[in-house]
Amino acid sequence: MRNIRKPRTLARSASALAVAVCLSFPVAAFAQEEEAQGEEIVVTGIRASLERSMDIKRESTGVVDAISAEDMGKFPDTNLAESLQRVPGVSINRVNGEGSQVTVRGFGPQFNLVTVNGRQMATSFVNAVGGDQSVDFSRATSRSFDFNNLASEGVSRLEVYKTGRAAIPSGGIGAAINIVTQRPLDVSGEGLRGSVGAKALYDLSNSDFKVDPEFSGVATWTDESNTFGISLFGAYQKRDSAAASATSNDWNITPFSSYPGKGPSTVVTGAPSNPSTLVAVPNDSRYHFSESERERINASATVQFQPMDTLTFTADAMFAQNRISEQRTDQTNWFNRPFDRITFDNSDAVPTAIYVEEGAGYSTKDMGFEQQYRATKTQLQSYGLNAEWELGSNFTLTLDGNHSESKSTPDAPNGTSSTLVAFGAPVVDKHAVDYSGPVPNQIWTLNDSVRGNNNGVLDIGDLGTQVQRTNASSQSHRLNQLSGNMGWDFGGGSRLDIGSTYINSKMTSARIQTQQTLGDWGINNVGDVKNLAGNLVTQFCMGCQFDHYTVTGADIAFRGNAVDLYNAFAPHYAGLGNPINVSGNDFDQVTEKIWSAYAQLTWKGTLMDRPASVVGGVRFENTKVTSFSRVAQPDRIEWDSDNDFTRVIGSTIAEITRNGEYNNLLPSIDFQISPVDDVVARVSYSKTIARADYGNLFASQSAGAPNRPTALGGVTSGTQGNPDLLPLVSDNFDISLEWYFDKSSYVSAGFFYKQVKNFVGVGQVNQNLFGLRDPSSGAAGSRSGAALTAINGLGAVVNDVSLFTMTALIDANGGSVAAATAQFAANLGVNGQLDQAFVDTVLAARDVIANASDPLFVFQVSTPINNREGNIHGFELQGQYFLGNSGFGVSGSFTKVYGDVTVDILSDPGTNVYALVGLADSFNITGIYDKGGISARVAYNWRDKFLANVNRGGGRSPEFFAPFGTLDASVSWDITDQIAVSFEAINILSEPIRSYGRDENQVWFAQEQKPRLFLGARYRF
């Protein structure tokens, strides 16, 4: 505990505290009151932070929540997003267990505006690290702000504006979140003062004891007259972590009558009575082990000069860099249909295959051990200049300019964001998977005498290469803005503010993908891994990496750096005639020019002898959109094996430019009254907007490969953007009641209702793209059509494997169906299935390329359109209480959210669906002790099940995340007025994350998480 002179921003009366909050937005000027010079306050860590946040909430107009720093250079949490989850209505998304992006009142990250000191910031984010395999070829298109890029030690407070206001920039339907950093002339004292700190991080996910460093420092210097000052901040953080996970690549959603894997001798248990009932059958099951590294560097500087009492200049600069990489290993068991046995659960919705077994129909098949290396680097730079001039005793002019740029780029040594090298071992004699638990359990039988090295164990000698692929995804965002604002103070808290802002924003998203065939999916060259890269691959126990989930059949796996392996295999196979082909080349740019003007009137007085206030205003915005795309047109889609297809990109580049424009008039009004002492009632209405995801605004077209042969139900999809999309528009109503019954204690309850239109739905049309032809159609007169007829004539099982094999044989025999049929029949078993060794030889020798006899692909082309409306409503409860001077206290909040924009889990798997993602109930509770220089906190945060994605995979399934709760604790001790030590523990209960599809048994991603422990020290000067 220490006594300091009250900072200028805190040295105002209670009502002026809210004014200071609002002044952090350079676009707004709010009522100000005279400073109380020389007042002293006591700073006591957690309790002081909560009191300041409570005062901001109480004195603000509208619904505003805040989180304040406990001291200079000390924020309540090591991660900004994890601090925000303690605000009612706010929940967070995590990457590798760390808070990254926020959802507010059910609206996901893309629907919330994040500003720094009132300025909109450039944002970029390549989602390549920490997720399941869906991120490996992802595209960066989001407007979302990644809080993980900023160190919390450099932040003074976070402000969450849940009601719209004319003076606040547009772009957030859920909330506008303002990050406030330190200003030197607002820091108490004179001369040099600040703090430096260091932490040692021990992440329990690492197999060995390893300590990672964190350093931070903040320093401020002002002259004796407090007219010139400099603030500097710097932080460095490193984290190494590991995680074990289990996934399924895709779930086939089909009617029971036609589910993939159904054979004439398949034994079915739990079959639905109606053959039209949708069922879910997995494509494969996978185990993974990842080791990740993250390095974050932050630096900022602010210079203020006040040449006269009425004029203040502020110049600031910010730099943030976040580098993250992940080395990931798979163990994959795919299904060689048809199944010997299949068992469905008794779900009333979509019965799920919880047990599948195969093996009778083939000799041996392969198990995959793909290696992935993912790496990205994000850099954010911001430069700003502000001038505030009190032209008269009641008139203020503010001018502000800012340039910010964010770049997220590939950061692997080979210039990619994801590198994937697939190899496998063709030694599986029999295979089954049990999906009845939280993760799949694999059961398989080894037989390496057919195609392995015949030593009776799975080892590196059994491995052979398949294919290797890369993805280089990047996003850059440049944002320039200028604003001017004028304010007239009428006295007594009443005032008029007007202003205008111009923003020029340019976002560029690019992606290049490649693929090189090695030993091909059939593993044609067993032993080449050992021969070409034996020193780069190590054997390890995959199953031993799990301790929360129980996994089976994973005692032996293989691990290597994918970039090193890629470099070892690429020249060898290029020399054999297997070049590196470009399979995707995307370039899109979206420019938005936004001009806005606002007027806002504030009145403060009494109504029926009770203190009251009204803030009303209107904001007009004009937005012009220009979308530019370079489209690298595909030459063909090759059929490589049973359900593997590759796009081959040609040399033709088409340039497309399209435009859009819209205007919005955004009124707002906040009414506040204190009906009795210490009670505040609020009623608010506002209209707010959120602009469409950049990906929806692209001018480009794209064509995707089918997930299986189209003759057997495979789906080909395409996309086309729409730059003429309108923003989401929300009419917001809020009502709340707050009781401040003690200096540090209060309770509040609020109800909110949002009526939103212009949700982006999907318009779908069936059409051909780029003249591409379909080699797997089964159409009469085509090779695949002749293959289908021949297979049926033999009485063989028709599946992905047999159709590809027969088609490839017809192609190899110059179109002779008879010759192909003879070869096919010679390798056909009595059960109607092909010998797998023969299949592997065929697919390794030939890819099926469409010719003139094949029909045109018919793509389901999805285009975003404004065709949805929805209503979101809910209530928030919040409070905190301290037990006198005992030091003990408690705080917490609860949010209940309802919405009618939900997903239908019985939706047609051939049609895209729309639903609002992120909608979830949440609560948090924190126990506090703060006295005698000791501050301690134990907090539990919980988020209910929520929808994270829609239209995933070929079955266009949803992705739900299971409820997640985390227990955190921290304690700090001020040894002296200058020296403090601290200890923090995050995710003490090792809570895992798990996502699933239409049913809880349809696991998408289940990842174990471990606690993180921090031991720190801080020195104040």
Side-chain angles (χ1 to χ4, degrees), residues 830-1004:
V830 294
N831 58 358
Q833 287 185 249
L834 285 166
D835 176 68
Q836 186 62 39
F838 171 70
V839 170
D840 291 340
T841 300
V842 173
L843 69 86
R846 200 161 198 88
D847 297 329
V848 179
I849 299 174
N851 59 26
S853 70
D854 292 309
L856 295 171
F857 266 118
V858 178
F859 294 91
Q860 295 181 354
V861 181
S862 301
T863 300
I865 56 176
N866 297 114
N867 69 343
R868 303 279 178 162
E869 295 184 358
N871 300 308
I872 310 298
H873 66 279
F875 63 86
E876 298 172 342
L877 304 176
Q878 184 181 16
Q880 67 187 41
Y881 174 70
F882 280 89
L883 187 61
N885 293 320
S886 67
F888 289 99
V890 63
S891 68
S893 68
F894 171 75
T895 303
K896 181 72 177 178
V897 184
Y898 303 88
D900 59 7
V901 194
T902 56
V903 68
D904 178 10
I905 62 173
L906 295 177
S907 62
D908 182 356
T911 303
N912 280 328
V913 299
Y914 177 79
L916 182 63
V917 300
L919 208 67
D921 301 334
S922 60
F923 78 84
N924 66 80
I925 186 167
T926 303
I928 303 160
Y929 178 80
D930 192 341
K931 189 175 182 180
I934 296 177
S935 293
R937 181 184 64 201
V938 178
Y940 184 77
N941 293 270
W942 178 85
R943 184 182 188 182
D944 201 359
K945 162 190 170 182
F946 69 95
L947 177 68
N949 291 296
V950 292
N951 303 317
R952 178 165 179 177
R956 289 171 168 79
S957 292
E959 182 179 14
F960 294 99
F961 273 80
F964 179 89
T966 178
L967 180 67
D968 307 326
S970 66
V971 60
S972 65
W973 175 33
D974 289 347
I975 300 175
T976 69
D977 286 345
Q978 286 75 41
I979 300 174
V981 294
S982 63
F983 175 78
E984 301 166 70
I986 298 175
N987 194 17
I988 296 171
L989 301 180
S990 298
E991 183 79 0
I993 59 173
R994 184 178 186 272
S995 68
Y996 56 89
R998 299 176 186 237
D999 182 88
E1000 289 190 17
N1001 284 327
Q1002 297 168 28
V1003 61
W1004 285 118

Side-chain angles (χ1 to χ4, degrees), residues 500-571:
S500 181
T501 300
Y502 175 76
I503 294 177
N504 186 310
S505 164
K506 179 183 286 187
M507 190 288 309
T508 302
S509 174
R511 178 178 60 176
I512 297 177
Q513 298 170 305
T514 70
Q515 178 166 319
Q516 182 183 26
T517 300
L518 306 176
D520 217 328
W521 292 111
I523 310 180
N524 203 37
N525 300 318
V526 174
D528 62 349
V529 172
K530 181 178 181 180
N531 295 334
L532 298 174
N535 61 325
L536 300 177
V537 177
T538 58
Q539 180 177 310
F540 80 113
C541 175
M542 173 76 78
C544 301
Q545 312 306 318
F546 291 82
D547 58 20
H548 180 87
Y549 295 119
T550 299
V551 300
T552 56
D555 292 340
I556 298 176
F558 303 92
R559 187 160 177 79
N561 182 285
V563 174
D564 294 339
L565 291 168
Y566 188 98
N567 293 334
F569 296 139

